Amino acid sequence: MRILGLRRFVTLTSWVVILANPLPIPAFAGSEQDLQIKTPIPRQIEVQPTIASSLVLQPASVAFPITSTLGSSTIEQTGVVQVANGSPNDDASTNNEQPGRRALPAPLDGVFPSSEYLGPTPLIGVPDTDPIYPLTKALWSAFPALKRARIKVYGWANAGINASTSDKSNIPESYATVPNRLELDQGVLRIERVPDTVQTSHVDWGFRFTPMYGIDYRWTTAQGWFSGQLLHHNYLYGFDPVEAYGLVYVPSVAKGMVIKIGRYISPPDIEAQLAPDNYLYTHSLMFTYDCYTQTGINAAIKLNDQWSILFGIHAGDDIAPWNGAAHPTAMAMARWVSASNNDSLWGGIDSLNGGRFKGGHDNLQQFNLTWTHRFNERGTFLTTTETYYIFQTHALVGGTVNNGPPRSFFQGVGPGAPISGNAPAYGVVNYTELKLSKKDFLSLRPVDYIVDFKGERSGFATTMASWTAGVTHRFNELVSVRPEVRYEHAFSARPWDNGQRKDQFMFAIDALLRF
């Protein structure tokens, strides 16, 4: 490892400690047993006068507001903490009642990025119990109309550094593209309104807008959405509006229906594009090569507490509808949760159309299935496994064409060789998660394989695998870090460091600062 990389690593670690210490560390009132009762109680942090879908709990003592999770997409988060000062939801009463929940109890502990099983977002019948972060709180104080409208504005900065055996490029590892250097992975500002899907008396609406800047834009870019930064210039840093959609909740369809229209994150995966939603800093090789975002319209329908379905149409994986590479593409998925609440299945068709590569862009046909199992009722020990099958026809080696100039961190520019017939890929990944303490959990990724039969996804016709172990530590409700160690290997090619290495070893750590 270069000395420069080591110095930057020490600098990052020092800043994390400095930033973390002045902030109040959450104090949990009650005993450890209080934190681990079988049925977690939903909570809303920093709330004001309560209304029908919210609640003020009144414990013997209250310390600091406590975040329910490290994640950002956590409208389904629950757990056992004490809260005060009301809720932004205008539909609640002032009675001392907890927020309603028209769903099975949250199955997983709140220390994890989400306490819910995978499924359509937002989950119907689950209350909005997200923390109220400092920026939202300040804006609500200055502009009370935002609070009355339940509009939140918040965000995060995520920076990381790695010590890698590669010299120029860590790819196909993602997202820590550049070896041995401190980088801003993503700076995000989110504006959203979450519809109240617990009530069944009236139609409600919502929206989410999540612009992002950083090196992670290289992985989230969709052709037609400001994509020239990557596909014409091959810049390391760029901007991407990762999410931009509206929501309409219709309670009269089955047990509730949510219609989503706009650009949204592809639904199937364990992993997600935005840093707070992941168990680990780096991503699996399997996740690296599937769909990231879609633009279209879909409808999630709750049939009962065990079954939900999602169906829709979009422009194709990582393509804007107005782009020449767009295809009308079908989606149909289903979510099942066992009556015991110990198991869940989530999967189906993420993308299906004619399957022909067009306009210099991939046209992935993708089928996913994820099984999650918890080993105890507290949800502190779980395992989740995802598999997918991807294919397309008349594609190019390496897939979507980057027409920018070659750069040290990525030199695979220009169109690859044509591939005759079908170009399939198969992937599988497992995460096993264990809560260690109130502020820590262990993440193991013991299985991560992608079989790129003809090299369409990665540019190398080979099987690749990685093995990763890491820990997430939360200093307080605003600052967390994720150190990890990772080894990856290709069985019949040299994909790493611009085609120079058949394997790669890495220590990496990132810091997540919420505001």
Side-chain angles (χ1 to χ4, degrees):
M1 179 182 67
R2 292 180 290 187
I3 298 299
L4 180 59
L6 178 60
R7 288 176 179 170
R8 285 177 172 164
F9 166 72
V10 173
T11 301
L12 172 65
T13 306
S14 301
W15 273 108
V16 168
V17 173
I18 291 169
L19 287 168
N21 286 337
L23 295 169
I25 297 176
F28 291 79
S31 65
E32 177 70 13
Q33 288 81 2
D34 292 333
L35 293 170
Q36 295 181 347
I37 62 173
K38 293 182 180 180
T39 305
I41 299 173
R43 64 270 176 97
Q44 175 71 49
I45 310 302
E46 290 293 337
V47 285
Q48 290 297 330
T50 48
I51 28 188
S53 60
S54 178
L55 149 84
V56 175
L57 299 178
Q58 304 211 349
S61 61
V62 175
F64 298 104
I66 297 176
T67 183
S68 62
T69 179
L70 299 174
S72 63
S73 299
T74 54
I75 60 173
E76 307 92 358
Q77 297 298 316
T78 62
V80 181
V81 294
Q82 300 161 357
V83 299
N85 300 332
S87 166
N89 194 329
D90 286 338
D91 295 331
S93 70
T94 57
N95 296 330
N96 293 329
E97 300 173 354
Q98 67 185 49
R101 182 180 172 92
R102 250 182 345 108
L104 293 173
L108 307 179
D109 191 274
V111 74
F112 300 121
S114 176
S115 59
E116 302 292 338
Y117 291 131
L118 295 175
T121 55
L123 286 176
I124 298 169
V126 175
D128 176 9
T129 54
D130 266 0
I132 304 304
Y133 289 106
L135 180 57
T136 298
K137 186 179 178 183
L139 290 173
W140 280 1
S141 178
F143 306 100
L146 290 176
K147 182 175 182 179
R148 291 193 297 271
R150 307 202 315 265
I151 294 174
K152 301 179 183 179
V153 184
Y154 61 96
W156 60 88
N158 177 228
I161 191 170
N162 65 86
S164 172
T165 54
S166 291
D167 183 55
K168 300 294 185 182
S169 175
N170 286 329
I171 296 173
E173 177 276 335
S174 63
Y175 295 159
T177 302
V178 184
N180 310 309
R181 206 165 82 184
L182 174 65
E183 302 287 357
L184 173 65
D185 291 281
Q186 51 186 248
V188 171
L189 181 69
R190 172 175 285 169
I191 308 170
E192 71 174 355
R193 184 186 192 272
V194 180
D196 180 0
T197 65
V198 175
Q199 58 82 25
T200 58
S201 62
H202 60 270
V203 172
D204 201 3
W205 61 276
F207 68 91
R208 175 177 284 182
F209 180 53
T210 312
M212 178 184 77
Y213 178 81
I215 66 172
D216 290 358
Y217 97 100
R218 295 184 58 86
W219 305 95
T220 63
T221 291
Q223 189 161 297
W225 284 95
F226 302 95
S227 54
Q229 303 165 92
L230 175 65
L231 300 182
H232 294 160
H233 300 286
N234 197 21
Y235 293 145
L236 178 60
Y237 280 84
F239 167 84
D240 188 29
V242 180
E243 296 175 302
Y245 60 76
L247 298 167
V248 177
Y249 165 61
V250 183
S252 59
V253 178
K255 299 295 184 180
M257 176 176 70
V258 172
I259 300 170
K260 180 183 293 185
I261 182 168
R263 186 183 182 197
Y264 52 86
I265 288 173
S266 177
D269 295 312
I270 298 171
E271 300 166 65
Q273 288 70 10
L274 298 170
D277 301 332
N278 293 288
Y279 294 114
L280 290 165
Y281 171 33
T282 68
H283 289 280
S284 64
L285 291 165
M286 169 192 165
F287 177 79
T288 299
Y289 291 111
D290 73 353
C291 175
Y292 281 71
T293 68
Q294 297 161 342
T295 305
I297 182 170
N298 61 58
I301 299 175
K302 179 177 179 176
L303 304 178
N304 52 49
D305 282 349
Q306 292 182 254
W307 284 96
S308 297
I309 57 174
L310 175 70
F311 61 92
I313 185 169
H314 56 82
D317 291 347
D318 301 304
I319 306 169
W322 50 84
N323 188 263
H327 305 251
T329 304
M331 170 203 293
M333 302 184 66
R335 179 185 192 253
W336 170 81
V337 179
S338 66
S340 66
N341 211 15
N342 290 330
D343 295 273
S344 174
L345 293 173
W346 168 237
I349 302 169
D350 186 48
S351 303
L352 183 64
N353 56 44
R356 189 182 180 95
F357 188 95
K358 183 176 80 169
H361 195 281
D362 288 316
N363 182 23
L364 302 181
Q365 312 298 287
Q366 183 170 324
F367 308 84
N368 295 65
L369 180 63
T370 298
W371 168 57
T372 303
H373 173 75
R374 67 174 185 177
F375 294 99
N376 57 34
E377 286 192 57
R378 297 192 306 273
T380 58
F381 183 23
L382 67 127
T383 187
T384 182
T385 303
E386 179 184 359
T387 184
Y388 69 50
Y389 178 72
I390 291 174
F391 72 91
Q392 59 185 310
T393 64
H394 301 86
L396 304 178
V397 171
T400 297
V401 180
N402 186 326
N403 292 300
R407 302 189 188 275
S408 60
F409 50 82
F410 183 73
Q411 296 184 352
V413 297
I419 300 173
S420 60
N422 187 32
Y426 168 77
V428 61
V429 68
N430 170 266
Y431 280 82
T432 299
E433 305 296 315
L434 177 65
K435 179 181 180 180
L436 302 176
S437 72
K438 298 173 186 176
K439 300 179 182 180
D440 303 270
F441 65 89
L442 172 70
S443 296
L444 301 177
R445 193 162 58 207
V447 176
D448 173 25
Y449 285 87
I450 180 169
V451 185
D452 193 358
F453 292 95
K454 297 185 179 180
E456 194 281 327
R457 303 307 301 128
S458 66
F460 299 89
T462 188
T463 296
M464 294 183 286
S466 78
W467 299 267
T468 308
V471 173
T472 294
H473 174 70
R474 180 173 59 194
F475 289 99
N476 50 51
E477 68 269 25
L478 298 180
V479 181
S480 59
V481 294
R482 295 179 293 193
E484 66 174 59
V485 290
R486 171 185 178 122
Y487 174 73
E488 46 205 319
H489 176 79
F491 293 87
S492 58
R494 294 178 175 270
W496 285 276
D497 213 9
N498 295 321
Q500 300 301 307
R501 302 184 61 88
K502 66 178 182 181
D503 59 6
Q504 180 173 267
F505 179 80
M506 175 190 295
F507 169 79
I509 183 171
D510 73 332
L512 182 66
L513 291 82
R514 310 292 299 259
F515 58 85

